[in-house]
Amino acid sequence: MPMVIDDTDSEQQMLVQWCMSAQVFSDPDLRQAIRRIHSIDDDKGMKEIHPVIEATNASMSPFSLELRSAMDQTSGVRMWALVNTNADPISIGATPYTATELVTLKTLVDGVFTEEQGNYSLSLHDALRLATK
């Protein structure tokens, strides 16, 4: 039985409140919270959580918030967090790095992941070349 989600539903608000209180959470924790909030008894109705995530993100978009995930590199578990999608003064001030330093770091990380030989590393000379572009 597919889950029907109404944006005005109190279940949607409860899920957003749970995400805010949990801050960072694993995929199994998110699935368990969705099952509990939407009163789903088993995993049969939870094979696909994307409709729930999309509805939650749509309801939070006016507030520049979004649920995003990443894989934990040590355990392989998908982790979720509620993130600010707007570069407002508060989020810009949340890091000790300047905008130039963040751009340089992003360039270096992109260089590591797009390295031609697939080694996921850069030589000192390549790193310096990318950092000084």
Side-chain angles (χ1 to χ4, degrees):
M1 174 169 99
M3 196 171 3
V4 178
I5 297 173
D6 183 6
D7 285 344
T8 60
D9 209 358
S10 64
E11 294 169 340
Q12 198 71 4
Q13 292 174 359
M14 290 189 325
L15 181 60
V16 170
Q17 289 174 349
W18 179 85
C19 292
M20 292 174 102
S21 68
Q23 296 178 354
V24 177
F25 38 92
S26 67
D27 194 70
D29 290 342
L30 177 60
R31 289 175 184 272
Q32 181 182 9
I34 292 171
R35 274 195 304 272
R36 187 176 61 248
I37 291 168
H38 289 276
S39 301
I40 300 171
D41 292 334
D42 57 9
D43 283 335
K44 292 178 185 174
M46 284 301 303
K47 292 196 190 290
E48 201 60 46
I49 65 170
H50 294 292
V52 176
I53 300 300
E54 289 171 7
T56 303
N57 284 342
S59 71
M60 294 186 301
S61 67
F63 306 106
S64 300
L65 294 173
E66 187 174 298
L67 273 173
R68 291 195 183 164
S69 69
M71 294 296 271
D72 184 314
Q73 293 184 355
T74 55
S75 68
V77 174
R78 179 167 300 281
M79 300 300 291
W80 290 87
L82 194 57
V83 298
N84 181 358
T85 60
N86 194 6
D88 55 14
I90 293 174
S91 64
I92 291 170
T95 179
Y97 301 105
T98 66
T100 305
E101 290 171 327
L102 291 173
V103 168
T104 302
L105 179 62
K106 183 181 182 311
T107 302
L108 289 171
V109 170
D110 287 344
V112 167
F113 284 104
T114 58
E115 191 266 331
E116 293 175 4
Q117 298 174 352
N119 294 329
Y120 298 109
S121 64
L122 294 174
S123 69
L124 174 64
H125 298 291
D126 289 339
L128 288 172
R129 182 180 47 79
L130 285 173
T132 56
K133 274 188 175 178

